[in-house]
């Protein structure tokens, strides 16, 4: 059992900056958990506090059934992979991988056997005698992972594990990382600023901003039901359209047109409420014919995304983005109608930015 | 200048240019030649004079003999002083290396208010500590400590003078060791001393080697401090003993001086070659990856 629990965890830096601000969080045993947020949101500080590299200012932290708040990092039974991998440049791959065992006073022959075995498992066969400087970025990353695996910890902590790889390698490494975590079944916390990475890898994601958690949920929940406008705009490869709107009967008035109230929010709003209407570009459709319950505008910018295109539509001064199939790409300046998928649109509170949601949510 | 004569002055100007650049080139090489001769002559003297039957302060093809070395071996102080030099140099180097490494590591990792000012003022003052200006107070201090005429006195004063520069250079090496290396070792349970031994020292090794050689060279050639702080001739290091090589007539004993000079310079050259091949000299930190 290696559940991680934080209770009212605070990390305050000298000068009064609260990087982690009263955090209550439970990460289940065996879970692949992502801390996602923009830079400076405190996610790395939280990870380093779990590792013990930063001392918590207030609050408790437990790993498994042990309270580790006061323990030094070496006694917490965690392994950490750093953003720059932190491989020791003067040691061979074998010595790097077996370094945790050296500290644990495992005899040399048996720790080198473990290193070789671990290296084989991570596709590092034949590289065991090289120095880190002679390896590619992807290989270095796998050596860092192998070192973490070899120490046989109860918790893995990854600090931006993929950010030092180039784009193509990153996809490969992502799949590799997910399979490794599933095979080992070790509780894993990783930090990323890349929402796509978090969505692809994690069982659950915590989105952080200014030291506080904005939302915790599965990738699907976070994507489909963002708790507030911050999460809505942060998660998703193209940012969600968020526009102020006014409730009017069964409709909301947005960008000079009128669209139906999303079913998930219908019972919670009343006539005249100021709200924010949110719709992901992927859930909007382009129509050249007039359609009821749609927003009229003209296509001003078309950005090619490969199999699709991101179209920016000017609807009376409000810019709305939508993703259209490559076959339906509109001409620049063409007039048309943006048709939302009503069950995928969301309403947020106009003042607080919180999601407006029925108490009995329809499954996303 | 008229248009009809336009080409001739151009040609003329070209010719002047060529002559001028040629002359400049010749001048430059002649100058470089003089500089080379200036520096090479003493070295040539150093390798020829010891083997000359009658060495003088000039360069000549030696009438080969090893007699000078025989004289050197017979001298009661010559070889002993080499050993004294080794003791003082190694002792100073060890103190400087250990203290500078620890201080540089600490200064690089712990935020101390006014750290940079401290380092720079130490660096500035260090040249005074071993300099002539502070010799009288140092002599008084060492006398008060009753350390006069001991190796320890020389080692301590020399180490004190070398430490600031050593710390300054080593701190740069420590600064350039990524913190994540140490943190990574810490996460796996390494103690601070283990981190220093396994991670920091190996990475800073070129810096430590540079400091070691530099320290030895500084001490090896230093005349003033051992001359003032040591009394008994059997304690004198090489640099001081050389000063006593006179003939009965009061003339410098060039046979002895030349042979001793050659012998005296060999350890430093060997040390330099060894360290340069093994570690490479660097005055900056950093990791090549």
């Amino acid at each position: 059992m290696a559940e991680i629990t934080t209770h009212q965890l605070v990390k305050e830096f000298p000068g009064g900056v609260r990087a982690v601000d009263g955090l209550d969080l439970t990460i289940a045993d065996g879970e692949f958990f992502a801390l996602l947020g923009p830079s400076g949101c405190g996610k790395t500080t939280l990870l380093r506090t779990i590792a013990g590299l930063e001392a918590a200012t207030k609050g408790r932290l437990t790993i498994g059934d042990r309270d580790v708040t006061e323990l030094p990092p070496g006694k917490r039974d965690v392994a950490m992979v750093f953003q720059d991998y932190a491989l020791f440049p003067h040691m061979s791959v074998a010595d790097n991988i077996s370094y945790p065992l050296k500290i644990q006073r495992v005899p040399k022959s048996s720790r080198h056997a473990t290193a070789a075995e671990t290296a084989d498992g991570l596709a590092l066969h034949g590289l065991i005698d090289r120095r880190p400087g002679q390896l590619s970025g992807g290989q270095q990353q796998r050596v860092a992972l192998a070192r973490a695996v070899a120490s046989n910890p109860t918790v893995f902590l990854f600090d931006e594990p993929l950010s030092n790889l180039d784009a193509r390698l990153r996809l490969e490494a992502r799949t590799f990382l997910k399979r490794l975590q599933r095979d080992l079944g070790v509780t894993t916390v990783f930090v990323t600023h890349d929402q796509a990475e978090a969505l692809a890898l994690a069982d659950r994601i915590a989105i952080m901003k200014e030291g506080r958690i904005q939302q915790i949920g599965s990738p699907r929940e976070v994507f489909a039901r963002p708790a507030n406008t911050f999460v809505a705009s942060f998660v998703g490869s193209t940012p969600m359209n968020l526009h102020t709107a006014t409730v009017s009967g069964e409709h909301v008035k947005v960008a000079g047109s009128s669209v139906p109230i999303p079913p998930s929010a219908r019972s919670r709003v009343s006539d005249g409420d100021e709200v924010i209407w949110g719709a992901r570009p992927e859930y909007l459709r382009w129509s050249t014919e007039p359609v009821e319950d749609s927003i009229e505008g003209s296509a001003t910018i078309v950005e090619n995304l490969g199999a699709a295109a991101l179209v920016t539509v000017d609807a009376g001064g409000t810019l709305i983005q939508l993703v259209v199939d490559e076959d339906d790409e509109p001409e620049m300046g063409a007039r048309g109608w943006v048709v939302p998928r009503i069950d995928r649109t969301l309403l947020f509170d106009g003042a607080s930015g919180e999601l407006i949601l029925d108490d009995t949510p329809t499954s996303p | 200048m008229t248009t009809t004569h336009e080409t001739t002055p151009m040609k003329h100007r070209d010719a002047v240019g060529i002559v001028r650049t040629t002359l400049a080139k010749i001048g430059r090489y002649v100058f470089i030649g003089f500089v080379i001769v200036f520096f090479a002559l003493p070295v040539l003297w150093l390798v020829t004079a010891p083997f000359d039957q009658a060495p003088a302060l000039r360069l000549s093809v030696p009438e080969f003999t090893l007699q000078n070395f025989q004289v050197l071996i017979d001298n009661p102080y010559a070889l002993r002083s080499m050993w004294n030099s080794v003791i003082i140099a190694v002792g100073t180097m060890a103190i400087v290396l250990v203290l500078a490494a620890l201080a540089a590591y600490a200064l690089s990792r712990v935020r101390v208010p006014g750290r940079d000012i401290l380092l720079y003022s130490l660096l500035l003052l260090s040249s005074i500590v071993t300099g002539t200006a502070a010799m009288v107070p140092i002599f008084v201090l060492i006398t008060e400590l009753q350390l006069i005429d001991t190796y320890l006195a020389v080692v301590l004063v020399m180490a004190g003078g070398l430490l600031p520069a050593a710390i300054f250079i080593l701190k740069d090496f420590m600064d350039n060791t990524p913190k994540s290396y140490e943190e990574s070792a810490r996460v796996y349970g390494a103690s601070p001393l283990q981190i220093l031994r396994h991670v920091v020292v190996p990475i800073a090794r070129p810096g430590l080697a540079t400091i070691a050689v530099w320290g030895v060279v500084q001490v090896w050639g230093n005349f003033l401090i051992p001359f003032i702080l040591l009394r008994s001739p059997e304690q004198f290091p090489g640099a001081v003993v050389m000063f006593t090589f006179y003939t009965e007539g009061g003339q410098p004993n060039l046979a002895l001086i030349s042979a001793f000079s050659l012998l005296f310079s060999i350890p430093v050259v060997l040390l330099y070659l060894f360290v340069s091949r093994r570690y490479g000299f660097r005055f900056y930190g950093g990791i090549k990856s």
Side-chain angles (χ1 to χ4, degrees):
Chain A
M1 263 303 278
E3 189 182 85
I4 304 171
T5 318
T6 69
H7 180 69
Q8 285 297 308
L9 198 70
V10 174
K11 173 65 196 179
E12 201 174 285
F13 285 110
V17 179
R18 282 205 168 193
V20 176
D21 193 2
L23 219 65
D24 284 307
L25 182 66
T26 304
I27 298 164
D29 181 37
E31 196 169 32
F32 204 171
F33 194 87
L35 295 171
L36 174 67
S39 47
C41 72
K43 56 192 192 299
T44 298
T45 308
L46 176 57
L47 193 80
R48 290 169 57 85
T49 311
I50 296 174
L53 295 170
E54 306 284 352
T57 316
K58 265 188 237 154
R60 309 306 299 173
L61 171 71
T62 58
I63 296 176
D65 39 20
R66 291 193 304 159
D67 186 326
V68 298
T69 320
E70 311 292 336
L71 288 184
K75 297 252 183 285
R76 295 189 178 196
D77 206 8
V78 300
M80 185 157 171
V81 173
F82 289 81
Q83 189 171 1
D84 61 0
Y85 314 136
L87 298 175
F88 306 130
H90 57 285
M91 291 186 195
S92 69
V93 167
D95 285 338
N96 262 294
I97 295 176
S98 60
Y99 186 73
L101 304 175
K102 183 177 173 178
I103 298 296
Q104 293 164 18
R105 298 183 188 286
V106 175
K108 194 166 191 173
S109 58
S110 96
R111 69 176 191 248
H112 273 181
T114 312
E117 199 180 306
T118 317
D120 280 355
L122 277 94
L124 289 166
H125 192 76
L127 303 174
I128 204 95
D129 294 322
R130 294 213 195 159
R131 294 284 171 97
Q134 298 167 305
L135 302 178
S136 71
Q139 289 165 340
Q140 288 184 12
Q141 193 229 18
R142 292 205 297 277
V143 174
L145 285 174
R147 183 168 63 181
V149 171
S151 74
N152 199 18
T154 52
V155 171
F156 282 138
L157 303 171
F158 298 153
D159 187 5
E160 307 257 3
L162 304 175
S163 65
N164 273 10
L165 302 175
D166 59 56
R168 183 163 291 276
L169 203 56
R170 197 175 299 171
L171 285 183
E172 254 172 61
R174 200 164 82 180
T175 315
F176 183 85
L177 202 61
K178 185 149 190 167
R179 203 181 62 217
L180 181 76
Q181 198 273 341
R182 210 187 46 204
D183 289 351
L184 296 171
V186 174
T187 313
T188 305
V189 185
F190 79 103
V191 157
T192 179
H193 63 267
D194 181 349
Q195 54 82 32
E197 207 171 289
L199 291 176
L201 283 173
D203 297 325
R204 278 199 309 157
I205 302 173
I207 292 119
M208 290 181 70
K209 181 193 176 192
E210 287 159 10
R212 290 174 174 279
I213 286 179
Q214 302 293 308
Q215 186 176 8
I216 300 179
S218 69
R220 205 166 290 280
E221 281 164 9
V222 168
F223 186 78
R225 294 262 181 276
N228 53 40
T229 48
F230 173 77
V231 177
S233 58
F234 195 78
V235 176
S237 47
T238 48
M240 188 186 268
N241 294 297
L242 293 166
H243 297 296
T244 49
T246 315
V247 178
S248 160
E250 288 297 295
H251 287 73
V252 283
K253 290 209 174 305
V254 61
S257 302
S258 162
V259 291
I261 294 173
S264 61
R266 204 162 284 155
S267 64
R268 299 288 300 271
V269 290
S270 47
D271 226 12
D273 281 357
E274 291 291 327
V275 292
I276 295 167
W277 180 79
R280 292 201 180 279
E282 293 87 346
Y283 295 144
L284 297 174
R285 189 164 59 80
W286 179 250
S287 167
T288 47
E289 307 288 314
V291 181
E292 212 183 327
D293 296 339
S294 64
I295 302 165
E296 192 181 351
S298 57
T300 51
I301 299 165
V302 179
E303 292 164 58
N304 199 327
L305 302 177
L310 182 66
V311 181
T312 305
V313 174
D314 187 342
T318 307
L319 295 181
I320 297 173
Q321 291 194 307
L322 68 154
V323 173
V324 298
D325 197 80
E326 54 187 334
D327 298 329
D328 303 336
E329 213 174 282
E331 290 292 315
M332 294 268 257
R335 280 207 83 69
W337 286 262
V338 177
V339 189
R341 272 177 67 181
I342 297 304
D343 60 331
R344 292 294 190 206
T345 58
L346 299 165
L347 290 187
F348 298 91
D349 189 283
S352 68
E354 298 295 317
L355 179 67
I356 299 169
L357 192 63
D358 278 342
D359 291 331
T360 50
T362 47
S363 64
Chain B
M1 212 178 287
T2 55
T3 42
T4 42
H5 288 95
E6 207 180 54
T7 53
T8 350
M10 283 296 279
K11 263 185 193 161
H12 178 68
R13 216 177 293 161
D14 277 358
V16 168
I18 287 167
V19 169
R20 196 172 283 166
T21 50
T22 314
L23 280 178
K25 223 175 226 174
I26 291 169
R28 201 157 56 227
Y29 282 119
V30 167
F31 174 72
I32 291 171
F34 272 116
V35 171
I36 289 173
V37 167
F38 183 77
F39 283 101
L41 275 179
V43 178
L44 279 174
W45 183 84
L46 186 66
V47 293
T48 56
F51 304 102
D52 199 332
Q53 259 175 4
L57 284 176
R58 58 180 165 79
L59 262 186
S60 59
V61 180
E63 292 171 54
F64 187 81
T65 176
L66 288 173
Q67 183 58 34
N68 295 342
F69 290 95
Q70 188 58 46
V71 177
L72 185 74
I73 289 167
D74 293 340
N75 186 297
Y77 299 118
L79 288 184
R80 195 197 177 99
S81 75
M82 293 279 289
W83 180 239
N84 292 341
S85 283
V86 170
I87 293 175
I88 293 174
V90 170
T92 308
M93 184 263 277
I95 290 182
V96 168
L97 210 55
V98 171
L99 292 188
L102 293 174
Y105 183 47
L107 281 171
S108 155
R109 289 300 183 250
V110 184
R111 284 245 145 264
V112 187
R115 176 186 63 183
D116 291 346
I117 303 236
L118 179 86
L119 269 173
Y120 278 107
S121 47
L122 275 179
L123 197 64
L124 196 71
L125 290 173
S126 69
S127 54
I128 299 172
V129 169
T130 42
T132 332
M135 272 303 114
V136 174
I138 283 175
F139 180 79
V140 175
L141 177 71
I142 295 295
T143 315
E144 290 292 317
L145 290 169
Q146 301 192 335
L147 286 175
I148 212 81
D149 200 20
T150 60
Y151 292 139
L152 186 62
V154 181
V155 167
L156 285 181
V157 173
M158 291 294 305
L162 297 180
L163 265 173
I167 293 171
F168 196 79
I169 295 171
L170 277 181
K171 184 182 155 288
D172 188 53
F173 277 85
M174 305 291 184
D175 282 347
N176 282 297
T177 309
K179 259 190 171 161
S180 60
Y181 290 5
E182 290 154 53
E183 287 176 341
S184 177
R186 254 176 85 197
V187 167
Y188 295 119
S191 68
L193 275 181
Q194 277 176 320
I195 293 172
L196 194 69
R197 217 172 62 228
H198 297 159
V199 182
V200 178
V201 166
I203 289 171
R205 195 169 277 157
L208 295 172
T210 307
I211 293 302
V213 172
W214 171 79
V216 166
V217 169
Q218 294 287 315
V219 180
W220 198 257
N222 193 298
F223 167 77
L224 191 60
I225 292 170
F227 181 68
I228 288 176
L229 298 180
L230 295 176
R231 299 282 85 159
S232 29
E234 58 272 18
Q235 299 232 54
F236 283 169
V240 177
V241 158
M242 216 186 297
F243 187 60
T244 67
F245 291 162
Y246 284 91
T247 58
E248 288 83 352
Q251 291 295 313
N253 187 345
L254 283 179
L256 206 48
I257 289 179
S258 61
F260 189 74
S261 300
L262 184 63
L263 218 59
F264 189 62
S265 56
I266 284 173
V268 176
V269 174
L270 287 183
L271 184 71
Y272 181 88
L273 288 178
F274 170 73
V275 172
S276 168
R277 174 150 308 177
R278 183 94 167 73
Y279 305 107
F281 282 100
R282 281 201 283 157
F283 282 97
Y284 55 93
I287 310 295
K288 273 185 280 179
S289 58

